[in-house]
Amino acid sequence: MAPFLAYEDKGADTVGRIPLVLVHGHPFDHTMWAPQQEAFAPVRRVVAPDLRGYGASPVTPGTTLLSRFAQDIEDLLDDLSVDTFVLAGLSMGGQIAMECSARLGDRVRGLVLADTFAEPETPAGKAARNTLADRLLAEGMHGYADEVLLKMVAPHAPHAVKAHVHRMMTSTPPEGAAAALRGRAERPDYRPVLRRITAPALVVVGADDEFTPVHDAETLHALLPDSTLRVIDHCGHMPNLERPAEFNAALGEFLERVDGGGHGR
């Protein structure tokens, strides 16, 4: 049976290094990881799925809980025989990575959390996410994308990066985005999960991120028993696209450390 999720699987013929699994944020798709796929697929397996409701993956209207996203990723990795891996997620993808860590335990040999946070939703935040979901279903993605583009990336980000981010947002099916927003409004508190993680972790944040400020990254860093914090200057919510050289340097150093502790398939 073909996997449920659309995905890219590059570098599958490489050996000796732990695979890297990349989980995109909202409302994007796997192409947000293009600089990381280009940098790391020549030397290790890199799997980058489109989450349910995004990119080329099927859309499920209604509510998609973070646990459902995590189950989809687990099913995909089982289908691909990826037994152990480093798991990286940005924003909502980071919260899905936290959920995966709770589910998959020792299969996650390293955890990368970029521009994300672990706290549960507040009552006001829950209402706001559901209101936004209603709006996207009624109006589509274009108005929202125009409004938030310069919060997703810093105003001084390269034009090509802004165009890529805007294109991902406007290409996302409103039904998929709305379902994720409703599911994210119901997310649990991941702080207890982070305290139990024994695998090494890397926490990355853009210095000018308005959605998840540096303080949120410092909180994650303090919760994780074995973590490194990297703040990347001159970028906003998407340092992997805005400052790929700096992001890849931090990620590459982390991957080398994890590789030194064991091997995956």
Side-chain angles (χ1 to χ4, degrees):
M1 182 186 302
F4 178 83
L5 297 181
Y7 64 95
E8 278 201 75
D9 182 8
K10 296 185 175 182
D13 57 346
T14 59
V15 296
R17 295 177 185 242
I18 297 175
L20 174 63
V21 179
L22 301 168
V23 186
H24 68 77
H26 163 91
F28 309 125
D29 58 49
H30 80 276
T31 67
M32 66 158 274
W33 296 112
Q36 288 67 55
Q37 291 177 290
E38 180 180 359
F40 296 106
V43 296
R44 75 177 65 239
R45 189 175 190 179
V46 180
V47 178
D50 285 333
L51 296 170
R52 178 186 296 251
Y54 296 87
S57 288
V59 176
T60 305
T63 300
T64 305
L65 298 174
L66 295 183
S67 58
R68 178 69 264 178
F69 287 125
Q71 182 65 61
D72 288 343
I73 291 171
E74 181 179 0
D75 292 344
L76 174 63
L77 297 179
D78 288 346
D79 285 339
L80 298 177
S81 297
V82 178
D83 298 328
T84 59
F85 47 89
V86 172
L87 183 62
L90 183 144
S91 194
M92 181 181 78
Q95 293 170 338
I96 295 168
M98 296 179 216
E99 178 73 31
C100 286
S101 294
R103 299 170 64 93
L104 299 178
D106 291 343
R107 291 182 68 181
V108 181
R109 295 290 183 87
L111 179 65
V112 182
L113 300 176
D115 300 81
T116 190
F117 60 98
E119 291 80 5
E121 192 58 272
T122 64
K126 181 175 180 177
R129 290 191 192 278
N130 281 298
T131 297
L132 179 56
D134 291 340
R135 176 190 169 188
L136 297 183
L137 291 174
E139 301 178 6
M141 299 297 294
H142 283 265
Y144 169 72
D146 291 345
E147 288 174 15
V148 302
L149 176 60
L150 296 186
K151 290 182 69 176
M152 292 294 186
V153 297
H156 49 73
H159 174 75
V161 170
K162 293 176 183 176
H164 181 191
V165 172
H166 192 269
R167 183 169 60 251
M168 287 190 292
M169 289 194 287
T170 55
S171 298
T172 294
E175 296 82 4
L181 284 165
R182 298 194 198 284
R184 200 174 177 196
E186 304 297 330
R187 70 181 181 276
D189 186 351
Y190 288 113
R191 288 172 291 186
V193 172
L194 297 185
R195 293 188 183 101
R196 296 192 298 268
I197 292 174
T198 58
L202 171 66
V203 179
V204 185
V205 66
D208 303 322
D209 191 343
E210 295 186 36
F211 284 118
T212 53
V214 172
H215 172 74
D216 289 340
E218 292 171 339
T219 298
L220 297 177
H221 176 50
L223 287 166
L224 288 156
D226 180 7
S227 67
T228 301
L229 173 63
R230 294 293 180 90
V231 180
I232 299 181
D233 291 332
H234 309 300
C235 62
H237 191 56
M238 303 186 72
N240 70 301
L241 280 175
E242 297 174 74
R243 307 288 290 186
E246 291 88 340
F247 186 94
N248 289 351
L251 178 55
E253 181 179 321
F254 178 73
L255 291 170
E256 291 295 332
R257 178 192 168 194
V258 178
D259 285 339
H263 300 291
R265 181 173 68 179

